[in-house]
Amino acid sequence: CCAPPGTTCAVTRQRRSYPADLTSLPLSRDNAPLHRGCGGFVPPFHTGPDTDLDYYPIIAERFQATLESIAMSVDQLAQPLGQAAELLTTCLLQDRKIMVCAGGIDTPLAQLFTSALLSRLDDERPALPALNLASDGGTRAAIAASEGPDAVFARQLQALGQPGDALLLVAGGDTDPAQSAALRVAMERDMPVVALVTSADRELVQDLPAGAAVIRTGTAARSQVLEMHTMILLALCQLIDIGLFGPRD
């Protein structure tokens, strides 16, 4: 049995007791008592984090880096973010819907955005029409099986997208042919496009028409991309609310 003393073995279901004299056990290199296991003496199990590790400076450094990244991006992002908000607000004022296409690490953010529009964030308001193209795993699997994985978004746009509907594309720097195909269908159907991308997604958005709103973040680390895109999408929701219903106290 390899269960440490004082615990129950998952195989034999027997509880191992501590020896009467712990000093009789051999010691590991760090002078921790060893216990006898199936393969001989093994080190004791550690069930918690190292109590000598101070997490505070790690947390403080991470939070500070995030705050600095956001502050340094305001001038770069304000204009395209405002353009995107106007485009999406106009779409909703014309009784159209917003269709969201996200890939890679940003995939969950599509659901965050559509849920915020269908429900709400802070203030009470009517539901707003938004559709996450990545939410139905069964539909995506069926399309991928019959049409290929590159068609998982485009096929849905061909069926549901109408002129005047808006496509919000969110990309985190990972090459995704399915998103490229979605953009082509959106342009064919005269759907305005908002693209939230990174500096690594230049080829993805290089053929967008002049009226498209491209919000490009310059952060390189995947975790920072996710943080920035989350903040931008929440800001978009707030700006849409203000554009439709006016500022709230």
Side-chain angles (χ1 to χ4, degrees), residues 132-146 152 156:
N132 175 12
L133 298 178
S135 64
D136 189 340
T139 297
R140 294 180 65 190
I143 295 174
S146 62
V152 293
Q156 295 182 72

Side-chain angles (χ1 to χ4, degrees), residues 12-51:
T12 65
R13 312 307 297 173
Q14 295 180 349
R15 184 171 180 81
R16 286 180 51 81
S17 60
Y18 286 94
D21 182 10
L22 290 177
T23 61
S24 65
L25 293 174
L27 299 178
S28 65
R29 292 181 180 178
D30 58 356
N31 292 325
L34 302 175
H35 72 275
R36 187 181 297 277
C38 299
F41 287 98
V42 296
F45 287 76
H46 295 285
T47 57
D50 188 346
T51 55

Side-chain angles (χ1 to χ4, degrees), residues 71-148:
M72 295 296 292
S73 300
V74 172
D75 290 343
Q76 172 192 348
L77 298 177
Q79 190 276 331
L81 186 54
Q83 179 188 0
E86 289 183 0
L87 189 152
L88 296 178
T89 301
T90 299
C91 164
L92 295 174
L93 287 172
Q94 294 175 347
D95 292 328
R96 299 302 184 184
K97 60 184 176 292
I98 299 172
M99 308 180 76
V100 188
C101 163
I105 195 173
D106 284 308
T107 300
L109 297 185
Q111 191 60 52
L112 171 70
F113 183 80
T114 54
S115 295
L117 291 188
L118 290 167
S119 178
R120 65 183 180 90
L121 286 178
D122 298 317
D123 299 312
E124 187 66 39
R125 58 153 172 76
L128 301 176
L131 177 63
N132 175 12
L133 298 178
S135 64
D136 189 340
T139 297
R140 294 180 65 190
I143 295 174
S146 62
E147 306 295 332

Side-chain angles (χ1 to χ4, degrees), residues 166-199:
L167 175 66
L168 170 60
L169 180 139
V170 186
D174 300 314
T175 302
D176 187 353
Q179 290 188 309
S180 299
L183 286 177
R184 290 194 293 270
V185 173
M187 289 187 288
E188 291 171 0
R189 290 182 169 266
D190 196 23
M191 297 173 60
V193 174
V194 171
L196 174 56
V197 298
T198 71
S199 54

